[in-house]
Amino acid sequence: MNLLVAALCGILYFIGTSRLGYGLSQATGSPIFYGLILGLVYGEVEKGLIIGATIQLIYIGIIFTGGNMPADQSLAGIIAIPIALQTGMNVEVAVGLAVPFGILGIFIDQLRRITNSYWVSKAEKYAQVMDTRKIFHCAITYPTITIFLLTFTPVFVITLFGANAVTSIMNILPQGIIDGFSVAGGILPALGFAIIIMVIGKREIMPYFFIGFFLVAYLKVDVMAAAAFGFCVAALTMFNSIKQKQKEVN
Amino acid sequence: MSSNLDEIQKQRELTNRDLMKTYARWYLSVEVSNSYERLQALAFCNALSGSLKKLYKDDDQGYREALIRHLQFYNSEGTFGAVIHGVVLSMEEEKAKSKDSSDSLSEEVITGFKTGLMGPIAGIGDTLIWGTLKPIILALASSLALSGLFIGGIVPFLFPLAVILIGYGMMKSGYLLGKDSVTKLMKSGLINNLINSASILGLFMMGALSSTYIKVSTPLEFSFKNAEPIVIQDILDQILVGILPLAAVFGIYFYFKLRGQYYNRLIMWLIVISLITGFFGILQGS
């Protein structure tokens, strides 16, 4: 892969995981966004978007409880998308390639948080002498430089040399394995949805999950229409319970 | 309500500009300096430092103590959690004003409020922001992108935009309403109501998304002599459409419930199972 593209991937991954801006990483580090940018680079916007969205769906339900990253959608995307676009692999295999990197990314995040402990202890000293400029650097500047080194380097190296290795592996991959990856790509989104149910699924409101599910399964309602119905149902329950509360007060 | 708050703001030390600066610093650094030891503490201190300087104008000792105070362990959800920053600023303002009198606000009250509220607020924020808003926006982006539409790559940016607007609003109202009103609001049924409704919307959407995006079926068929082949998927569909995707979601759900959330171990298992069932043609991903 050419140097410029590899450098671009390294920079995109750095921006996507720098965490500058709360929740901004969900956009700048989204595999869909990577798919768009890299699709433009390779002149295959549609394919880039489709691979990006397929990878995104696997990680759609991820929540960072207590700041712990359960999987790294950005690393999964930034490795798989350019290699897939360059070697012309199909979407299923790209997903199979993405998932191991989604796990590997966790270690990069853990390294970052371990090094950050050092900056907190530094900042404590600066607080004693009320040097808020230095506290600012400890909170933003130094960790950002560290994360640049931690993120740019591995992605640059893997995307630079990975495509050739992947092409030679792909040539010997039997169809059975590709079918297996296709099953994985189909099942893995269930993981994210299950996690969200863990967070918000109280027993007495679980039927709403099934209403949504069977609305699509039997009536083939599309996602936006489901969102419209869901919003109305949620609004109705909200108004009703407010009314009930007022009755209790009176 | 808003004109009321404007009235309150006129009597207060910090202007909108100060609050925006504080929020901008928080927004930028909240996860950047996150560490295992203190989590978001450094970001909290960094965010408040400018406003604290203004509140403790000539009181170096008070300012130093405040900086050190806010380097203590802190962790909450960043968007809704900004209400805590607001309230803490209002408490610091009170403390700075009454430093010479005997009934001055003690450090324990401020820290107690912070640590007492960070847990419950994180629960609210995780439900509303990360459990409902985020997956809905990303699902919308995904479905646009899957149809090859350019805009799908841009839609994820709606999420940080919403976070900025909600977060700043939370911080400002926290500052202006103060500790008692916020505590009262937390205890009133209103917040519970909101969470309940958002959870309903969230669950409803998770159901719809599960059905749309989990793609698994079985290609198995048994053929007998002189008879139509028996297609297993047809039988499953007659029982319940979407029975396999549903089994996948709840299989994972109960695994987490019973075994704990070992995310990566489960991903490994899912891949192994997928490879085996895919290889032997027991399941297919469509």
Side-chain angles (χ1 to χ4, degrees):
Chain A
M1 194 170 300
N2 85 47
L3 270 172
L4 271 177
V5 179
L8 174 72
C9 290
I11 289 169
L12 280 175
Y13 182 58
F14 161 69
I15 294 173
T17 47
S18 72
R19 311 280 193 86
L20 273 173
Y22 191 71
L24 194 59
S25 305
Q26 292 300 326
T28 54
S30 160
I32 310 179
F33 180 65
Y34 288 163
L36 174 62
I37 303 287
L38 292 165
L40 287 170
V41 170
Y42 283 100
E44 286 190 85
V45 177
E46 195 172 334
K47 192 175 177 196
L49 282 168
I50 290 173
I51 298 176
T54 311
I55 297 173
Q56 175 69 77
L57 284 170
I58 297 175
Y59 301 105
I60 206 162
I62 279 174
I63 298 178
F64 291 53
T65 31
N68 291 314
M69 176 192 260
D72 185 355
Q73 58 174 8
S74 307
L75 192 63
I78 203 64
I79 301 287
I81 295 168
I83 292 180
L85 288 177
Q86 184 169 357
T87 60
M89 67 171 58
N90 63 9
V91 179
E92 286 80 25
V93 182
V95 169
L97 178 64
V99 170
F101 287 100
I103 298 172
L104 211 64
I106 304 165
F107 299 114
I108 298 180
D109 190 63
Q110 284 172 347
L111 266 177
R112 182 180 70 93
R113 292 179 74 198
I114 289 167
T115 55
N116 276 343
S117 293
Y118 175 72
W119 303 122
V120 186
S121 62
K122 272 274 191 215
E124 202 145 51
K125 289 193 191 103
Y126 296 131
Q128 295 282 356
V129 292
M130 295 173 293
D131 190 343
T132 44
R133 266 186 74 87
K134 288 269 175 60
I135 295 179
F136 181 88
H137 287 320
C138 284
I140 294 181
T141 320
Y142 304 144
T144 306
I145 296 171
T146 319
I147 192 80
F148 180 80
L149 296 174
L150 285 176
T151 53
F152 180 86
T153 328
V155 169
F156 178 76
V157 173
I158 296 171
T159 45
L160 191 59
F161 301 111
N164 288 332
V166 169
T167 319
S168 45
I169 294 171
M170 259 175 56
N171 288 334
I172 55 165
L173 217 56
Q175 184 61 36
I177 301 285
I178 295 177
D179 290 344
F181 283 140
S182 155
V183 175
I187 289 183
L188 282 171
L191 192 61
F193 301 134
I195 290 179
I196 293 185
I197 298 174
M198 297 277 292
V199 177
I200 64 179
K202 277 174 289 182
R203 185 179 304 171
E204 64 270 23
I205 55 174
M206 271 311 285
Y208 290 102
F209 175 89
F210 294 101
I211 296 177
F213 188 91
F214 291 119
L215 208 56
V216 174
Y218 282 101
L219 305 178
K220 314 290 175 215
V221 172
D222 77 51
V223 172
M224 274 320 286
F229 289 129
F231 193 81
C232 296
V233 171
L236 275 176
T237 23
M238 175 112 160
F239 295 144
N240 270 334
S241 51
I242 289 174
K243 212 188 213 165
Q244 205 139 36
K245 199 119 217 172
Q246 276 168 345
K247 259 188 209 152
E248 279 167 25
V249 173
N250 289 335
Chain B
M1 178 96 172
S2 71
S3 65
N4 234 338
L5 287 181
D6 286 345
E7 281 303 306
I8 301 175
Q9 188 152 27
K10 277 181 196 147
Q11 303 153 16
R12 305 292 288 275
E13 291 283 326
L14 299 175
T15 60
N16 272 338
R17 225 183 119 78
D18 297 321
L19 292 175
M20 271 179 207
K21 261 192 198 160
T22 307
Y23 185 70
R25 291 175 83 141
W26 168 250
Y27 178 76
L28 275 181
S29 70
V30 53
E31 290 297 325
V32 175
S33 59
N34 196 318
S35 67
Y36 283 119
E37 190 192 348
R38 312 256 182 104
L39 289 107
Q40 300 165 339
L42 179 48
F44 196 100
C45 175
N46 177 46
L48 262 59
S49 63
S51 297
L52 288 174
K53 174 112 194 128
K54 191 172 178 188
L55 295 175
Y56 291 94
K57 273 175 283 269
D58 320 304
D59 179 9
D60 268 5
Q61 181 61 24
Y63 178 46
R64 179 185 300 132
E65 280 172 15
L67 285 179
I68 295 169
R69 175 159 62 240
H70 294 302
L71 266 179
Q72 297 313 311
F73 180 92
Y74 176 82
N75 195 44
S76 188
E77 195 277 323
T79 319
F80 269 73
V83 74
I84 298 179
H85 301 54
V87 176
V88 163
L89 281 176
S90 78
M91 289 165 88
E92 290 287 358
E93 182 171 329
E94 194 187 326
K95 185 172 168 62
K97 268 185 187 157
S98 64
K99 63 168 167 145
D100 298 321
S101 62
S102 54
D103 59 337
S104 154
L105 208 58
S106 79
E107 220 174 79
E108 285 75 33
V109 179
I110 298 177
T111 308
F113 174 82
K114 255 171 82 178
T115 48
L117 216 59
M118 65 189 190
I121 294 263
I124 298 172
D126 280 348
T127 305
L128 295 179
I129 304 288
W130 296 93
T132 310
L133 188 65
K134 189 198 89 161
I136 290 176
I137 290 177
L138 287 181
L140 175 60
S142 301
S143 63
L144 291 169
L146 284 174
S147 342
L149 291 171
F150 191 90
I151 187 89
I154 311 296
V155 169
F157 286 91
L158 289 177
F159 179 68
L161 189 70
V163 163
I164 291 174
L165 294 176
I166 298 170
Y168 178 68
M170 292 309 288
M171 192 167 109
K172 188 172 170 183
S173 30
Y175 175 64
L176 295 177
L177 293 172
K179 174 174 158 253
D180 295 334
S181 324
V182 170
T183 316
K184 210 154 104 193
L185 197 66
M186 287 290 294
K187 281 184 184 147
S188 78
L190 199 64
I191 298 280
N192 266 333
N193 241 324
L194 189 65
I195 291 183
N196 210 34
S197 307
S199 303
I200 286 173
L201 174 60
L203 281 177
F204 192 94
M205 286 308 293
M206 288 318 115
L209 293 173
S210 299
S211 189
T212 311
Y213 290 123
I214 302 172
K215 295 209 167 86
V216 54
S217 59
T218 172
L220 287 179
E221 331 184 329
F222 296 103
S223 42
F224 300 99
K225 268 183 226 160
N226 316 324
E228 293 264 305
I230 299 173
V231 181
I232 301 294
Q233 187 62 45
D234 287 352
I235 297 174
L236 291 178
D237 283 345
Q238 278 164 18
I239 301 170
L240 197 64
V241 174
I243 193 166
L244 287 177
L246 214 52
V249 175
F250 286 97
I252 295 168
Y253 174 81
F254 285 112
Y255 177 89
F256 280 150
K257 274 260 149 140
L258 299 173
R259 293 290 176 85
Q261 293 198 41
Y262 298 109
Y263 201 91
N264 292 303
R265 197 182 299 171
L266 186 63
I267 288 188
M268 289 301 190
W269 272 117
L270 285 175
I271 290 175
V272 170
I273 293 169
S274 301
L275 283 174
I276 294 171
T277 54
F279 191 87
F280 291 107
I282 301 167
L283 294 176
Q284 65 184 17
S286 59

